[in-house]
Amino acid sequence: MRAIFLILYLFTFHTFGQVTPNPSIEKKSAQNVFINKIEITEEYTVFHMQFYDKSDEKEFDKFMDENPDLARRLHNMGMDRDEALKFFRQRLRGEQTISFQPGSQVVLPNGQTFKFIKASNIPVAPERKAVEPGKKYFFKVYFERIPAGFEKIDLIEYEYDKEGTYQYWNFKGIKINNPKDRKPAVDTPVEVLKPEDFRVYGKVMDAVSGKTLNAKIRVISGTQRDSLQTSRTGKYEFLVNDEELDFSVEATGYEPLKEKLNIKVFLKSGSFQKDFFLEPSQSIEREPQEAVGEQVEESTFKLDKVYFNVGQAQILPESYEQLSQLVQYLKDNPSYKIQIEGHTDNQGDARANLQLSNDRAYNVRQYLIEQGIETSRIKFKGYGSSKPVSPNDTEENRRKNRRVEYQIIKEE
């Protein structure tokens, strides 16, 4: 039995190359970059990597601890930690950029080095790419193919871990699957076996988190072509009739995957488990977002989560969530223009109310402009108490009249 497993092991790696998911690392220079997988193909040593900066989370938690009243207000509004953190980042973060150094090397324990070849989904220095804290960025870097037999390597982007404002990504003591002997199994088996209804089965999983995925799988086996949609648990199963199989695997939000499998060595067992690992896509198309706020007319919506102190026009921080949603809505619909409209109740001086409603509408407009919406796409107007939606006879009804709305103007 042990010999059989050894043959399977050697044959699998000969066919697909050496693959090491989530390799252990003795030391790395930056805590916001990760190696998800290392693959040694016929041409390259490929690092599947991820940049994920969440360093400002500690700063945010400290800020919330020091401002318990604000934290309590956000909690009472139903805002969870992730939503509050998003506003914190939008208002306080500075621009951060990433790139990969063309002089990077893979270094073996004997001092032998292997050159950087290319990168995908990340620019090569001196070009740089702006990134957002809290967002994951996936990319690949390709180096010359390292020889068999070395199972601990270093990835050195630069001789220093840090120089000035630049943080370099150096990984030392990376353990990989790369045994000396990766010869194929003997091509001539002792007995001739045929792949009559051979069973191939397994799961489709997220290469980063390991969670199972709902995916579509196609397989070509000789003249046979089959396809299926996996279950919720990511499981699939095919009965095939040929030694050479071609797989293609697709899932929404993930890079498509194509692989070949030769089942000659596995025929005696009658089945083989093959799991597929998909990497999240860097170009996920966003679904159109619905209009933000409470609809009051066909193209008019109330910003029901935008707040001001009584008699003041300054936007309160609790409003940023909904306003950020409106920003994204306008970015998703670049042909839309809007008019921000401010309204008050009838208490106090009518001219002062008109001015207050105008100032509030103006400040909402300015927030949207600061977040990247073109000035020409946003008008504003204050109506004071001239357009009530309820009688001004009770505090509850007056509260309904104190509002900010926006009207959508579509231009095809």
Side-chain angles (χ1 to χ4, degrees):
M1 181 66 75
R2 183 177 179 184
I4 292 175
F5 279 114
L6 178 61
I7 290 174
L8 296 183
Y9 174 81
L10 293 175
F11 187 84
T12 300
F13 278 110
H14 173 74
T15 305
F16 299 108
Q18 310 299 308
V19 178
T20 308
N22 300 312
S24 65
I25 298 166
E26 294 177 358
K27 182 181 179 182
K28 66 178 187 177
S29 62
Q31 298 305 308
N32 53 11
V33 65
F34 308 87
I35 299 175
N36 296 330
K37 182 172 66 175
I38 298 175
E39 184 179 7
I40 304 175
T41 69
E42 293 183 1
E43 296 182 77
Y44 306 110
T45 303
V46 186
F47 290 77
H48 299 246
M49 303 182 71
Q50 171 188 337
F51 177 87
Y52 178 36
D53 183 16
K54 54 179 182 178
S55 59
D56 54 359
E57 290 191 19
K58 290 184 179 179
E59 185 180 353
F60 167 78
D61 290 334
K62 180 181 178 182
F63 176 80
M64 297 305 286
D65 288 341
E66 294 173 350
N67 295 270
D69 290 341
L70 176 59
R72 193 177 304 109
R73 287 164 63 189
L74 295 178
H75 177 74
N76 291 338
M77 291 173 59
M79 188 180 300
D80 61 23
R81 180 180 180 279
D82 290 341
E83 292 171 327
L85 176 60
K86 180 179 178 181
F87 299 137
F88 180 81
R89 285 170 169 157
Q90 289 174 340
R91 304 299 288 182
L92 301 180
R93 76 174 180 87
E95 185 177 70
Q96 187 174 14
T97 60
I98 59 173
S99 68
F100 207 80
Q101 295 297 315
S104 302
Q105 296 179 329
V106 171
V107 183
L108 303 185
N110 64 6
Q112 189 175 2
T113 61
F114 294 81
K115 296 178 182 179
F116 167 82
I117 303 297
K118 61 180 180 178
S120 63
N121 291 330
I122 187 172
V124 176
E127 299 296 324
R128 301 192 68 83
K129 174 181 181 178
V131 296
E132 300 176 22
K135 183 176 179 180
K136 296 180 179 179
Y137 295 84
F138 299 90
F139 57 95
K140 299 178 186 178
V141 288
Y142 297 75
F143 292 84
E144 294 174 316
R145 184 176 185 270
I146 66 172
F150 294 92
E151 298 189 282
K152 183 183 286 190
I153 61 175
D154 296 339
L155 170 56
I156 305 299
E157 193 185 26
Y158 195 66
E159 60 180 317
Y160 304 116
D161 289 346
K162 192 172 184 180
E163 187 176 53
T165 59
Y166 288 101
Q167 173 75 58
Y168 297 104
W169 301 336
N170 297 326
F171 297 81
K172 295 183 179 180
I174 309 168
K175 296 180 181 179
I176 60 173
N177 294 319
N178 187 31
K180 287 184 179 180
D181 188 358
R182 55 186 181 210
K183 295 179 181 178
V186 177
D187 286 336
T188 306
V190 175
E191 56 181 305
V192 177
L193 300 171
K194 296 182 179 180
E196 295 177 355
D197 291 335
F198 183 87
R199 176 173 172 258
V200 180
Y201 67 100
K203 293 181 180 180
V204 181
M205 291 177 278
D206 185 305
V208 178
S209 67
K211 71 177 182 180
T212 56
L213 301 175
N214 183 268
K216 185 171 185 178
I217 305 179
R218 297 182 180 87
V219 62
I220 300 176
S221 167
T223 58
Q224 174 187 354
R225 283 174 165 78
D226 287 330
S227 65
L228 59 77
Q229 195 78 25
T230 66
S231 66
R232 290 184 180 179
T233 57
K235 294 181 179 179
Y236 77 92
E237 178 179 313
F238 286 104
L239 295 177
V240 298
N241 58 15
D242 192 75
E243 294 176 1
E244 297 285 344
L245 308 178
D246 289 298
F247 286 94
S248 66
V249 188
E250 299 177 356
T252 303
Y254 291 82
E255 296 290 346
L257 178 68
K258 292 186 178 182
E259 288 198 16
K260 293 181 179 291
L261 176 65
N262 189 314
I263 63 173
K264 178 185 287 188
V265 175
F266 316 126
L267 290 178
K268 185 175 286 189
S269 66
S271 65
F272 178 68
Q273 179 174 350
K274 172 61 181 172
D275 295 331
F276 296 102
F277 296 88
L278 302 187
E279 295 189 0
S281 173
Q282 288 293 292
S283 57
I284 301 174
E285 291 187 3
R286 296 177 54 88
E287 293 185 3
Q289 180 184 329
E290 294 183 359
V292 178
E294 177 186 334
Q295 186 169 10
V296 293
E297 293 182 10
E298 181 180 355
S299 58
T300 302
F301 298 82
K302 177 184 175 183
L303 293 171
D304 53 340
K305 295 181 181 179
V306 171
Y307 306 97
F308 307 87
N309 284 326
V310 176
Q312 297 181 8
Q314 184 177 359
I315 301 170
L316 295 178
E318 300 94 307
S319 311
Y320 296 154
E321 177 182 13
Q322 190 168 63
L323 290 178
S324 296
Q325 293 172 356
L326 182 56
V327 168
Q328 189 59 59
Y329 177 69
L330 292 172
K331 289 181 177 179
D332 288 347
N333 297 277
S335 64
Y336 288 10
K337 294 183 178 181
I338 63 171
Q339 176 166 290
I340 306 293
E341 300 173 350
H343 302 270
T344 69
D345 60 27
N346 68 348
Q347 302 298 293
D349 181 75
R351 285 181 296 181
N353 286 338
L354 182 62
Q355 185 62 50
L356 178 62
S357 65
N358 194 72
D359 291 346
R360 287 179 172 178
Y362 173 81
N363 286 344
V364 170
R365 175 178 180 266
Q366 288 304 109
Y367 178 91
L368 301 179
I369 292 171
E370 289 172 4
Q371 299 302 309
I373 305 302
E374 295 89 339
T375 304
S376 60
R377 296 179 61 192
I378 314 170
K379 297 179 181 180
F380 73 99
K381 186 175 180 65
Y383 288 94
S385 59
S386 64
K387 290 190 174 184
V389 292
S390 296
N392 283 291
D393 53 359
T394 66
E395 177 55 32
E396 177 62 23
N397 283 338
R398 286 192 291 270
R399 184 188 62 79
K400 293 178 181 177
N401 290 329
R402 299 190 295 265
R403 67 198 190 277
V404 173
E405 298 175 342
Y406 68 95
Q407 182 182 156
I408 299 175
I409 306 168
K410 300 180 182 180
E411 291 189 0
E412 301 299 337

